[in-house]
Amino acid sequence: MGLAVLQQTQNEDYTLAELSRTLAADPVLTGRILRLANSSANTGVEVARTAHQAALRLGVRTVRNVALGFTLVSGHRGGSCRNFDYEHYWSHSLAIAVAAQVLAARMPRMVPSEAFTFGLLSGIGRLALASIHPSAYASVLTQVRDGDPLRLAQLEREAFGLDHGELGAAMFEDWHLPVEYAVAVLACAESPTERDSNPAADRLVSVFHGARSLADALMTTDEDAPGLCRSRHERLAALRASFGIGVEEFGQMWTQVASDWNDWGKLMNIDASTTTTPARLELLARRADRLSETNLTPGLDLSATKIGLSAPKAVAAAAGAPTAATPAAAAPAAPSTPTLALPGRISMRVLVVEDDPVARKLICFHLAKEGHSVISAANGREGLKLAFEHYPHLVVTDWMMPEMDGIELVRALRRSEEGQFLQIILLTGREDEARVVEAFEAGTDEYLVKPLNSRILLARVRSAQRVVALSQQVRADAEDRNRQVAEMAVLNRKLQLAALTDPLTELPNRRQAIDRLEQELATSLRDGLPLSAIMIDIDRFKTINDQYGHDTGDAVLKEVAQILRACLRSTELVCRVGGEEFLVLCPRSNTAKAALIAERMRQACESTVIRHGRFQGR
């Protein structure tokens, strides 16, 4: 649904009414967007009750971005990368999103709902790498157990040619998300990619760092390493200082973020239950100080909250005869391939919706005996809620029920993205032709007439098993194709970077220099802004090559390239255009400023002694 909204809004002829109708087709997505529109950041305004009202309040751009983010959450709840904790990744991302929304409400020229979306998607590059290269990325993650994001990015570049920040920026560009998203995600990941100055992106980065500090602190547990607790406590102090938040006000903010995180977790079926308090975090930080003073070194690993790491988890499930109410111990489960139960058969998650307690208990008994995991509800409204919490493979529902009948339930399920893949068996006491037609037009897959014959019911269920298995295979094949497409995108990105980068110095090459010069010149002429260019040549470079060899010459070029890069601001660009020649572009700089920049680079080169083998010089 998110991709459908994305494609629709790329058409210049779309209307807000058409967008609202598209959103209304998915009640789950509509509920989440309404929750965002009516969040605590929008207090004091009338409650939005329809998709159209929510779109008017949030704006088309925000609705598009949020819809994409929520769709990604629904479709990527698990995967095969054994060292990537998918559950923690989304829980942490949601905490960052909620905290970013609250912090953005304090800043001028910030849209809280857009900060929420960026926070939710800020780590999408890591999720993509775990999906595209599950085995290789698992090996990378084993080498960064201390949670160091810079170490992670370095290993990603070594393994894949780009880090998660660069991949996330490329994905944002492909999705036509705001430019500041791509610039900000590069800065948040501290990727070495050259990027233009962007005030909107700078504000997003500031909010992100504060939100991540708040999210990390919120998810701290007593089992976390004392040193990590102390670090998080110090980062909270820096957050309060940076945003000018008093102690009492910060306590209120903490409570608001924790409450919103928990509410969103329930809405999106994401675990948001593990929270601490500022007082508890302070106690944990003091414990770290006491351990440091007594020179004790606890034998605990750092919690990898920054990069979503976890040891592989063993999950066991036992199927038993369920009750009519929601099982207290039943944990919401994301859609997954059914597990093997009996030889030649697959076990499914089955939802039984029946208002007659005797009939419901009997149906559940037969299904559980077949090895299926069964949950049940007494009416259609309760059944709809359970369907979106547990993602069953099969729904067996009665037609005539209080509050919401079976036909309404079927239609509501089919309107949602998750409901498109369900198998549905409808039960009724009547068999007239009009009712049969109505049932199948509503979206029913099978139609059984009461009183039920258990052998026929189980035969229909086995037929549904075959369809579910085929559906899972089709989806697995589609995921493989998507993975291949993603791998091609990564490869194309590598080739693009290689085509625009000098392999020796890792600076932009002549081709990129010319392209960038044309862009900056057009901007300068259009906006009436100054633009300066500096040509640099290394003195006596030919003599170095002749006397000490080309290896030494290459070492000199690499060292000079690093010196020049370190002297420039993020808006300026140094390129190697050939041999020992470099070009520096200085947007918004007149001749006097360019002369100062050139002198600064010359002095830096003059003061640096370069050594390689027998060579030593400046």
Side-chain angles (χ1 to χ4, degrees):
M1 179 59 68
L3 294 178
V5 172
L6 190 65
Q7 293 171 355
Q8 184 178 29
T9 53
Q10 288 174 6
N11 183 351
E12 295 181 357
D13 298 329
Y14 80 93
T15 65
L16 189 60
E18 292 172 343
L19 176 61
S20 301
R21 284 195 295 271
T22 301
L23 292 173
D26 189 335
V28 176
L29 179 60
T30 299
R32 292 170 179 174
I33 290 178
L34 284 170
R35 170 70 175 82
L36 184 62
N38 296 323
S39 65
S40 54
N42 294 308
T43 54
V45 296
E46 184 179 353
V47 174
R49 303 184 186 279
T50 66
H52 186 77
Q53 292 173 342
L56 282 173
R57 178 167 302 169
L58 296 174
V60 171
R61 188 173 96 159
T62 297
V63 169
R64 176 194 63 188
N65 301 343
V66 168
L68 177 63
F70 288 157
T71 300
L72 289 171
V73 175
S74 299
H76 297 82
R77 301 297 296 273
S80 56
C81 184
R82 65 182 185 277
N83 289 331
F84 190 88
D85 189 340
Y86 295 86
E87 180 181 349
H88 179 275
Y89 168 82
W90 283 119
S91 181
H92 189 241
S93 296
L94 182 60
I96 292 176
V98 171
Q101 182 184 20
V102 172
L103 289 174
R106 303 177 55 87
M107 297 182 63
R109 302 189 302 280
M110 285 289 293
V111 181
S113 53
E114 296 225 345
F116 178 96
T117 307
F118 179 77
L120 190 64
L121 298 178
S122 57
I124 197 68
R126 290 187 280 117
L127 180 65
L129 287 173
S131 302
I132 299 168
H133 304 289
S135 298
Y137 200 55
S139 299
V140 168
L141 295 180
T142 58
Q143 303 176 59
V144 282
R145 289 294 186 184
D146 59 351
D148 182 358
L150 295 180
R151 172 67 173 161
L152 174 65
Q154 177 188 350
L155 292 173
E156 288 170 343
R157 288 191 290 273
E158 293 174 359
F160 311 113
L162 76 173
D163 58 41
H164 61 268
E166 294 168 316
L167 181 56
M171 295 170 72
F172 287 167
E173 291 171 0
D174 289 342
W175 293 334
H176 302 284
L177 296 186
V179 174
E180 57 264 29
Y181 279 29
V183 177
V185 80
L186 287 170
C188 293
E190 300 188 50
S191 299
T193 305
E194 297 285 345
R195 49 188 177 270
D196 297 331
S197 176
N198 187 311
D202 293 340
R203 291 192 291 271
L204 271 179
V205 172
S206 176
V207 166
F208 169 80
H209 285 307
R212 185 173 62 180
S213 297
L214 189 52
D216 288 345
L218 193 69
M219 298 176 68
T220 300
T221 66
D222 290 359
E223 287 73 30
D224 287 331
L228 185 61
C229 297
R230 177 174 55 192
S231 173
R232 290 175 177 173
H233 186 260
E234 292 171 350
R235 285 164 55 197
L236 279 189
L239 165 65
R240 292 197 298 268
S242 175
F243 283 83
I245 306 172
V247 175
E248 182 178 352
E249 185 182 6
F250 180 75
Q252 296 172 353
M253 177 185 293
W254 181 289
T255 302
Q256 178 185 342
V257 171
S259 175
D260 289 351
W261 182 46
N262 186 263
D263 291 343
W264 273 110
K266 293 177 181 177
L267 184 64
M268 299 176 68
N269 194 25
I270 292 175
D271 181 21
S273 57
T274 305
T275 60
T276 188
T277 63
R280 183 61 185 166
L281 182 62
E282 185 174 359
L283 286 175
L284 294 174
R286 290 179 180 175
R287 182 183 68 177
D289 292 336
R290 289 195 298 271
L291 288 172
S292 177
E293 291 171 1
T294 54
N295 295 320
L296 292 178
T297 305
L300 296 174
D301 290 334
L302 290 181
S303 172
T305 55
K306 294 184 182 178
I307 57 176
L309 302 181
S310 173
K313 297 181 178 179
V315 180
T323 63
T326 306
S336 62
T337 303
T339 56
L340 289 177
L342 300 175
R345 298 183 188 173
I346 58 175
S347 171
M348 297 187 296
R349 291 187 300 276
V350 183
L351 170 62
V352 176
V353 188
E354 168 65 75
D355 61 329
D356 183 341
V358 176
R360 181 173 63 242
K361 188 172 183 178
L362 186 61
I363 294 170
C364 290
F365 171 78
H366 287 298
L367 292 173
K369 189 176 179 181
E370 283 283 297
H372 301 296
S373 176
V374 189
I375 54 176
S376 62
N379 57 67
R381 192 172 303 281
E382 182 185 351
L384 184 63
K385 179 177 180 292
L386 289 178
F388 291 132
E389 288 179 355
H390 296 271
Y391 299 100
H393 300 107
L394 170 66
V395 174
V396 180
T397 179
D398 190 18
W399 186 317
M400 302 303 296
M401 293 182 295
E403 296 193 38
M404 174 187 283
D405 65 25
I407 287 294
E408 291 180 72
L409 173 60
V410 172
R411 289 174 177 149
L413 289 171
R414 292 306 191 200
R415 284 196 297 267
S416 69
E417 186 171 357
E418 292 87 349
Q420 299 294 322
F421 303 99
L422 292 176
Q423 287 292 295
I424 302 177
I425 298 176
L426 187 66
L427 313 177
T428 182
R430 297 166 56 183
E431 197 180 7
D432 56 273
E433 181 179 321
R435 289 176 70 83
V436 173
V437 171
E438 182 183 3
F440 281 106
E441 287 183 346
T444 298
D445 296 297
E446 292 284 357
Y447 184 96
L448 291 178
V449 180
K450 294 180 177 180
L452 287 179
N453 182 310
S454 61
R455 294 182 62 188
I456 294 178
L457 170 64
L458 294 178
R460 299 297 193 191
V461 170
R462 293 185 191 110
S463 175
Q465 282 179 299
R466 291 190 290 272
V467 176
V468 168
L470 288 173
S471 176
Q472 293 288 351
Q473 185 60 52
V474 169
R475 296 179 74 177
D477 292 343
E479 289 178 1
D480 286 341
R481 287 194 298 271
N482 291 338
R483 183 177 295 109
Q484 292 172 4
V485 171
E487 288 175 349
M488 288 299 298
V490 172
L491 179 59
N492 289 336
R493 179 73 173 177
K494 289 182 180 179
L495 293 174
Q496 182 183 20
L497 290 174
L500 299 175
T501 304
D502 173 51
L504 177 62
T505 62
E506 298 183 355
L507 293 179
N509 60 14
R510 180 185 182 87
R511 177 180 175 183
Q512 187 171 356
I514 294 174
D515 290 346
R516 183 67 176 271
L517 179 59
E518 291 176 349
Q519 295 173 10
E520 296 295 348
L521 185 58
T523 300
S524 175
L525 293 174
R526 183 186 68 240
D527 300 336
L529 300 172
L531 171 66
S532 298
I534 304 171
M535 284 296 300
I536 298 174
D537 183 272
I538 300 177
D539 294 340
R540 300 180 296 280
F541 183 73
K542 185 176 183 303
T543 302
I544 296 173
N545 272 337
D546 292 342
Q547 291 185 4
Y548 298 97
H550 289 280
D551 287 346
T552 299
D554 289 348
V556 170
L557 286 171
K558 292 166 68 174
E559 185 69 23
V560 170
Q562 294 303 314
I563 295 171
L564 297 179
R565 191 203 296 266
C567 291
L568 299 177
R569 298 172 297 181
S570 60
T571 56
E572 297 156 353
L573 180 70
V574 56
C575 311
R576 184 188 177 197
V577 293
E580 71 275 25
E581 296 178 342
F582 299 86
L583 172 67
V584 178
L585 298 179
C586 306
R588 302 174 182 245
S589 296
N590 55 26
T591 306
K593 289 184 178 178
L596 292 175
I597 295 170
E599 178 59 19
R600 183 168 68 244
M601 292 187 291
R602 188 197 67 78
Q603 290 179 1
C605 290
E606 183 181 43
S607 61
T608 303
V609 178
I610 301 176
R611 297 181 177 85
H612 185 270
R614 296 181 296 109
F615 173 78
Q616 177 175 315
R618 299 177 186 268

